[in-house]
Each structure stands twice: as C-alpha cells, then as structure tokens.
Amino acid sequence: MTETTPEGDVKFPPVVGAGADGATISPATPEAAVVADLPDGIDLVHESGLELKSRSQWAYARRRFVRHRLAMVSLVVLAIILLAGAFANLITPYSFAAQDFAHSGQAPTFKAHHFFGTDVLGRDYFSRVVYGIRTSEKVALIVTLVSTVIGTLIGAVAGYYSGWVDNILMRFTDLILTLPGLAVLLTAAAFIGTGNPIRVAFILALLFWTALARIVRGSFLSLREKEYVEAAKAAGSGDLRIMFRHMLPNAVGPIVVNATLIVGIAILTEAALSFLGFGIQPPNPSLGKLINDGQDVSSSMWWLVTFPGLTIVLIVLCINFIGDGLRDALDPTQRRTRA
C-alpha cells in the first residue's frame, strides 16, 4: 500500500511486481504505482479521477504542422499579406488611381507616405501593390475553390465506379492535360473576354482541376477496397454516402496539399496573363499589370518592377512552404518533423 510523508506527499512502493525471470520491476511513473496498488475490480478512471486520453489522427497532424517552423513562419507572413490586401482601403494612404503630379516618378521614400515610390503619373505604388494583392486573392480563391470541386468530383466518381466510367472521365482528363495551357488561356481570353477578375478566374479554373482529379482517383481506387467500405455497402449505404461520408475524409490530405499548390499557380498564371495583356485590365489593379506598366522605364524607375515582382515571389514561396508543411503533417507515414 502507499504511504504518506509528513509533507503530505504520497510515497510509492519501490517494487510493484516481478518479471518473468524473477527480476523486480519498479514503477515507471506514479500512475503506474497507483494502478499496481489498486485492489482488484477498481476502475482507475472512475475511482482515482485519472483519465487516459488518446490523440486523433488530426491532432497528430496539427502537432506536426505546428512543429514545422518554416511552414509556421510562412503562414504568419502570408496571413499578413492577405490581410493587407483584404483591408486595402483601410491601410493604404491613397487610392490606387489617385494621381500626384508633384511627386511623379519619385523613388521610395517616407515623404508623403510613398513607401514604394510613385509612377510616371504620380500614383502611389504602395497603394497599387496592396490593391493588386486584393485582386490576386480574389482570383486565387475562386480558382482554388472551383478547380478543387471539379477535380474532386471527377476523381471520386472515376475511382469509385472504375470500369467504363473511369475510362471516359480519365480520357477526358488526359485530353485536357495534353492541351498547351498558355495557348488555351490566351485563346479563351480572346473569345470570352478579359478585364474582369472573376471571368479570368473561371478561365483558369477550367484548366487547373486535372492534376487533382488524377490524385483523387488514385486515392479512391485504393480506398474502395478497404473493409469499412465493404461494411458500409453491406449496411445498405448509398454510393454518394459511401463516397463523401466514408471515403472522402480519408483522401482529404492530398486534396488540401494540392489546393495550396493551386493557389500559388493561379497567382503566377494570372500575373503572367496580365503581363501579356490578356488578363486583368485597368482600372482593376493587378500585380502582373503593374510589372507590365513599369517595364519600359525599369532602368530608371526600378521600384515599378521590383516591388510587384517581390510581392508575387513572396506570396508563392509562402504558399509552397505551407504546402510542404501540410504534406508532412498529413502524411501518416511521416515520423520526422522537418524545419
């Protein structure tokens, strides 16, 4: 039995049992000594107040992601950038279209709050870059949501039903993959029209779902052979319930990682289209269009190209590092946390 010291602490016995070879075994923890000292038939949880909790798979994934220092730093930096774009009208000193001819072509300075300088028309480039971030956010969000939904639906149906359904959907996916992306985007922009961020986003989304469809299809082909799927079928569950209630949660890891990569690709592609003149057009601000506007005078006004370009690079790098952290965190075979 346990004893109590004069200070009120519980004193555990030095030995709680013996091994198979007769060697004594000491308690590894005070809880182990308590378990050994309890009479038979006593429930540890209800009698002693101790409770043993198990972590879920998502708890382990969250813990691994938090320990990924580079991903956490990138998440903080990206959150600051995105919040700046979302509240552009509150943090910018000027409107993105306001002209100040008295300070036209001015280099970056804290004078008159032109932190990123001004262009040849005297427009504040800090304000224009921040509003350009807002436009990129809108495009990336729409592209990611639409392409993720399309890719997940097509991949899930193809992987679950297999057979001729899989052949038709995957051959259509392969057809989209073989198309030259930039040429298709330029052609679509010419016929559908450009200038509106939502219109540009849907054009991009119709081409960005293919990789995710193949990933989801591969996951569902593996998951459809699992025992819990057979049990759900035996219990009378419908196909839609099995696909989206039982199988989809087990494929969410690759979907989340791929979605983060789509965000970066969408921002880069939108900037490239705007730079070429087939993307977002004035008066809507765009980071790619800002680079295009400043390329002719980049030798004398370096800030007109540098700050929009660095913003794009920083956003894409942060997204890629976050995706790397999510991949490591959601991989059930990952045992080592990378920094």
Side-chain angles (χ1 to χ4, degrees), residues 54-100:
S54 61
R55 288 195 181 97
S56 65
Q57 178 182 354
W58 292 107
Y60 279 110
R62 183 171 59 252
R63 185 179 181 184
R64 286 194 293 265
F65 181 75
V66 171
R67 288 184 174 183
H68 198 295
R69 291 189 292 271
L70 192 55
M72 290 302 298
V73 172
S74 300
L75 182 62
V76 173
V77 174
L78 183 63
I80 294 174
I81 295 175
L82 297 183
L83 287 175
F87 298 98
N89 57 323
L90 299 179
I91 68 172
T92 53
Y94 304 97
S95 170
F96 66 89
Q99 299 179 356
D100 182 9

Side-chain angles (χ1 to χ4, degrees), residues 227-238 242 246:
E227 291 80 1
Y228 64 84
V229 175
E230 298 295 332
K233 290 180 180 179
S237 297
I242 294 175
H246 298 287

